Amino acid sequence: MIFKVKHILSILIVLVLFSCQEKSTPITITPNHFHETVDQLTKVMIHDVFSPPVASRIYVYPNIAAYEVISYNNKTYNSLTNQLNDFEQFPDIPLNENTNTPLAALIAYMEVSKELVFSREKLLVYTDSLYNHWSKTNSKEFNDAKLFGEQVANHVKNWMHKDKYIETRNMPVHNILTDDPFKWIPTPPAFMAGIEPHWNKIRPLILDSTNQFKPKAPPTPSLDKSSDFYKELMEVYAIGNLIREDGNDSEKLNIARFWDCNPYVSVNKGHFMFAEKKITPGAHWIGICKIACQDAKKDFESTIYAYTKTSIAINDAFISCWDEKYRSNLVRPETLINNHIDNAWLPLLQTPPFPEYTSGHSVVSGAAAEVLTTIFGDHFAFDDTTELPYGLGVRQFSSFRNAAQEAAISRFYGGIHYMSAVELGLEQGKKIGHFVNDNITFNANKNPSVSLGF
């Protein structure tokens, strides 16, 4: 009798323990998981106040890692190894045929991201919560994907660390001692030294060299009233005054504010000065990429493809632009107007802390728009909600090129660029976008310009 009772109790205990175990269920990864992870990285970048060029680097390497996971042994997507500069073939990484590659791609993205920000603990909190959830959902599936994702991430990180970024951290600041009135000097209110003067030392991803798309020189600087340069200077002065007369209802003012994207805006309150944190121009275009992917209802793989191609164009656009900025080293309109025309004049936007020519917004927007146009089409209309979290409204665009043109002219309206920097910068960016489209083969049919997943 006692034996039977003990036997029954043992069976009951086993049944209870079995019923208490969590059942393993498949882990489903959607495009929104990727969008949310990119957004999380953006939040940390805003918190850390990364410069526009550095921000472009932070976006691109995690995207490449995620893309390499989905391209591994994939008949649709080609690896970027041996296509991007110095990006060597992967070692033989075994891939289980049942590996959850979207999950592995997301893990690879997060593992590379953590190497690129100052506030690493903020990303760790985010990633650890996801890892804990996935481990509880299906530990075997999670561990298998994590092993593969980490191996891909490590290969990308090894390549990333050889792009000369670390070396540029120890290079001297930009020398601003000059008697030349047309050379750049720091501008109010923070009078910051020029940021990233050695960015042209960074290895491009696809360009043959940093000066491959060197624009023609700006108009010869002169205060001769008949010179082209002086006429452009007075255009900046005049448009600023005209927009002020129109007041807050001015459409040009709305355009300037919408595309400001200056992470270095300094705010003075009493004896205190602090930064008003914003996204960078590259982050704005990453946001547009997200909007396009969501509007077009793209699947996980084609979403990563879009982000990766766009971020490569943005990355090399900044390298090309910064190469010219510190070569021409041109003075900002604010400096010349204050010194020679009107000492009380202020631009509508705060002048960013680096030389004027060419316009970074113009170059980056031109490059991003050409790539996105190839992916989504010539007439892809969208509502740009990217700036809503920063207190700005929504703007509607009939195409990516339409948005790029507005982003470029916004810098003229804001009083921080001459028209040559806007127009020639946009052309410089377009050339970079075309080069990315024509020289990276993403899809297996060997035609670089064919869209994927649509």
Side-chain angles (χ1 to χ4, degrees), residues 14 84 92 105 162 231-232 242 266 301 347 357 376 385 420:
V14 171
L84 303 182
D92 187 20
K162 298 174 184 177
K231 291 175 184 177
E232 287 199 13
L242 180 63
S266 299
E301 288 77 10
Y357 189 79
F376 293 95
T385 58
S420 289

Side-chain angles (χ1 to χ4, degrees), residues 231-419:
K231 291 175 184 177
E232 287 199 13
L233 176 65
M234 291 305 296
E235 283 179 346
V236 177
Y237 180 63
I239 194 67
N241 292 337
L242 180 63
I243 293 173
R244 281 195 174 87
E245 289 176 7
D246 291 342
N248 287 331
D249 292 332
S250 168
E251 175 68 355
K252 292 181 175 64
L253 178 60
N254 291 334
I255 290 171
R257 288 174 173 169
F258 184 79
W259 291 99
D260 188 13
C261 303
N262 181 359
Y264 288 104
V265 172
S266 299
V267 180
N268 292 291
K269 286 194 175 181
H271 297 291
F272 297 97
M273 177 181 285
F274 58 91
E276 184 180 86
K277 296 182 178 182
K278 297 181 180 181
I279 58 173
T280 62
H284 193 130
W285 280 97
I286 290 293
I288 289 174
C289 180
K290 170 187 174 181
I291 292 167
C293 288
Q294 290 180 322
D295 287 354
K297 296 180 172 57
K298 296 310 156 197
D299 62 21
F300 186 85
E301 288 77 10
S302 56
T303 292
I304 289 181
Y305 157 66
Y307 272 111
T308 303
K309 192 174 184 181
T310 303
S311 63
I312 288 172
I314 291 171
N315 181 85
D316 280 19
F318 270 112
I319 293 174
S320 176
C321 180
W322 251 245
D323 176 63
E324 178 56 40
K325 278 187 179 294
Y326 285 95
R327 176 175 33 252
S328 53
N329 198 24
L330 186 61
V331 65
R332 289 279 182 169
E334 179 176 13
T335 302
L336 289 182
I337 291 172
N338 287 166
N339 290 344
H340 301 282
I341 298 170
D342 181 350
N343 62 10
W345 185 88
L346 290 173
L348 297 174
L349 301 179
Q350 196 170 110
T351 302
F354 38 81
E356 189 273 343
Y357 189 79
T358 49
S359 157
H361 272 60
S362 303
V363 179
V364 169
S365 297
E370 291 308 308
V371 165
L372 287 166
T373 297
T374 302
I375 298 171
F376 293 95
D378 291 326
H379 305 291
F380 189 92
F382 63 96
D383 292 344
D384 188 352
T385 58
T386 309
E387 297 290 341
L388 279 176
Y390 313 100
L392 298 172
V394 179
R395 294 193 66 79
Q396 297 179 329
F397 298 103
S398 59
S399 68
F400 300 110
R401 289 172 177 145
N402 173 228
Q405 290 169 349
E406 184 178 284
I409 197 65
S410 75
R411 314 311 278 168
F412 172 69
Y413 294 157
I416 59 179
H417 275 294
Y418 313 107
M419 189 60 79

Side-chain angles (χ1 to χ4, degrees), residues 37-47 59 279 283 390:
T37 303
V38 175
D39 289 344
Q40 188 66 29
L41 179 59
T42 298
K43 289 177 184 177
V44 175
M45 291 163 63
I46 293 170
H47 175 272
Y59 278 120
I279 58 173
Y390 313 100

Side-chain angles (χ1 to χ4, degrees), residues 13 89 171 183 197 247:
I13 290 171
Q89 197 75 32
M171 292 179 181
K183 295 302 180 184

